[in-house]
């Protein structure tokens, strides 16, 4: 018979047990959904903090693509006289700018995941992928604003008599966004994982993204590239995305399903490799950051 003075220890019920990751492929992606409220909080933080304590605030989301487009129009359209497939120069460069900005922002910001959040990661447990995923979503909000600006100018030029031919390919837009987000996420978390040991990569990211832009038909159409060099441009997985976007909304450019399938497959491989490497590095990154 138990002693009445002995305290009875009741079995405790836990809603989550944190266990060490067993292998590289123990990705635990289901935890992202469980921590969706935290992801939403990170999205709000990323979106609000960008232009906090600035005079113009969120207006910078509109000013930046406008200034970039004007600069491209003056330099590449007027001075360099680059072709634009018969499209108004301003609209041609804005379409490339809006698409490229989303991809470049996703890649650049996710590449700083470990170094920028080392203090937070060292204090509390949560799925580390929540941070790069929140970056994709906060950048998606900015993309939606800039895409709306693009549609306004597109309507203006259409009413002004420009030869624009939007078509049914616009229905592919969600897939194009998914591909850009996936490429930005995959490349970004691979670089982020490597920068925990090789800090030099931080300084190469911005330079590399700028160089990659010139290997993508952002400021020129693929049709202007000599035939013998087009394969090199098409090897860039962002090329079919930019071309498909222009063709869908402006009616100029090309859409090739094989090229899009290549970009989609490339994106899946990069995301998978990036997630596996990220999963590996997060187990020991506090020792090196």
């Amino acid at each position: 018979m138990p002693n009445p003075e002995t305290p009875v220890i009741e079995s405790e019920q836990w809603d989550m047990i944190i266990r060490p990751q067993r292998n590289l492929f123990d990705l635990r992606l289901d935890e992202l959904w469980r921590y969706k409220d935290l992801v939403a909080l990170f999205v709000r933080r990323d979106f609000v903090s960008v232009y906090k304590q600035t005079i113009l605030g969120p207006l910078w989301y509109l000013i930046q693509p406008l200034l970039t487009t004007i600069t491209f129009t003056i330099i590449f359209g007027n001075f360099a006289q680059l072709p634009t497939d018969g499209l108004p120069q301003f609209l041609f460069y804005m379409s490339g700018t809006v698409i490229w900005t989303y991809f470049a922002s996703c890649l650049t910001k996710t590449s700083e995941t470990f170094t920028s959040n080392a203090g937070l990661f060292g204090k509390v447990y949560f799925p580390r992928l929540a941070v790069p995923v929140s970056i994709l979503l906060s950048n998606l909000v900015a993309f939606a604003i800039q895409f709306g600006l693009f549609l306004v100018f597109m309507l203006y030029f259409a009413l002004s008599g420009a030869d624009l031919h939007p078509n049914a390919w616009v229905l592919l837009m969600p897939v194009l966004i998914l591909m850009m987000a996936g490429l930005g996420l995959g490349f970004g978390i691979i670089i982020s994982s490597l920068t925990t040991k090789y800090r030099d990569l931080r300084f190469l990211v911005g330079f590399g993204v700028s160089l990659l832009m010139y290997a993508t038909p952002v400021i020129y159409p693929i049709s202007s590239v000599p035939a013998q060099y087009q394969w090199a441009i098409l090897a860039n997985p962002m090329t079919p995305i930019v071309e498909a976007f222009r063709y869908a909304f402006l009616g100029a450019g090309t859409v090739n399903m094989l090229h899009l399938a290549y970009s989609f497959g490339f994106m899946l491989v990069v995301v998978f490799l990036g997630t596996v490497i990220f999963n590996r590095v997060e187990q020991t990154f506090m020792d090196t950051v």
Side-chain angles (χ1 to χ4, degrees):
M1 184 173 180
N3 188 340
E5 296 181 359
T6 303
V8 178
I9 300 177
E10 298 180 357
S11 60
E12 299 185 20
Q13 300 294 324
W14 302 95
D15 59 357
M16 186 180 70
I17 300 175
I18 300 176
R19 296 186 178 92
Q21 293 169 323
R22 302 300 182 187
N23 55 65
L24 287 178
F25 302 103
D26 184 16
L27 302 181
R28 303 183 183 180
L29 298 180
D30 59 308
E31 289 189 354
L32 281 176
W33 177 253
R34 226 179 326 179
Y35 281 81
K36 57 184 180 296
D37 292 336
L38 179 63
V39 172
L41 186 63
F42 282 151
V43 170
R44 184 180 183 279
R45 179 201 67 175
D46 294 338
F47 184 76
V48 172
S49 64
V50 173
Y51 297 115
K52 193 175 182 180
Q53 295 182 330
T54 60
I55 296 175
L56 298 178
L59 283 177
W60 281 108
Y61 287 111
L62 301 177
I63 296 173
Q64 282 187 323
L66 274 176
L67 292 179
T68 303
T69 302
I70 292 171
T71 302
F72 285 173
T73 302
I74 294 173
I75 295 176
F76 300 112
N78 295 335
F79 293 163
Q81 297 288 314
L82 294 182
T84 58
D85 274 349
L87 295 173
Q89 291 179 346
F90 187 89
L91 210 53
F92 179 89
Y93 293 123
M94 175 165 276
S95 62
T97 298
V98 169
I99 285 289
W100 183 257
T101 298
Y102 178 60
F103 164 74
S105 296
C106 290
L107 193 161
T108 303
K109 293 179 181 178
T110 54
S111 69
E112 301 172 352
T113 298
F114 282 124
T115 54
S116 298
N117 297 276
L120 180 61
F121 287 171
K123 293 178 181 177
V124 62
Y125 173 79
F126 60 90
R128 307 312 188 200
L129 275 174
V131 173
V133 168
S134 70
I135 291 172
L136 299 186
L137 296 177
S138 60
N139 282 330
L140 185 59
V141 176
F143 171 77
I145 296 173
Q146 295 173 357
F147 179 64
L149 180 67
F150 166 74
L151 292 180
V152 169
F153 278 101
M154 178 180 160
L155 178 62
Y156 167 78
F157 278 98
L159 294 176
S160 300
D163 190 22
L164 307 179
H165 303 282
N167 48 71
W169 284 98
V170 297
L171 299 177
L172 199 65
M173 190 62 189
V175 179
L176 299 181
I177 294 174
L178 175 65
M179 292 165 67
M180 288 188 293
L183 289 170
L185 173 66
F187 283 123
I189 59 179
I190 288 174
I191 295 171
S192 177
S193 301
L194 294 176
T195 50
T196 59
K197 289 186 178 180
Y198 310 105
R199 298 299 182 90
D200 306 68
L201 288 174
R202 279 190 314 175
F203 307 106
L204 294 176
V205 171
F207 178 68
V209 170
S210 298
L211 281 182
L212 186 60
M213 187 192 76
Y214 292 103
T216 309
V218 172
I219 58 174
Y220 56 84
I222 191 70
S223 59
S224 67
V225 179
Q228 65 267 34
Y229 300 120
Q230 286 190 4
W231 66 269
I233 304 298
L234 291 171
N236 178 356
M238 278 297 295
T239 294
I241 299 174
V242 174
E243 285 287 293
F245 178 79
R246 281 209 183 103
Y247 182 81
F249 287 92
L250 304 178
T254 57
V255 175
N256 187 306
M257 290 304 297
L258 288 178
H259 295 163
L260 286 173
Y262 158 74
S263 292
F264 193 83
F266 195 103
M267 178 268 294
L268 292 178
V269 171
V270 168
V271 170
F272 177 74
L273 290 178
T275 306
V276 170
I277 295 172
F278 189 91
N279 179 53
R280 172 70 174 176
V281 170
E282 73 164 292
Q283 300 177 39
T284 58
F285 83 98
M286 287 305 297
D287 298 330
T288 55
V289 170

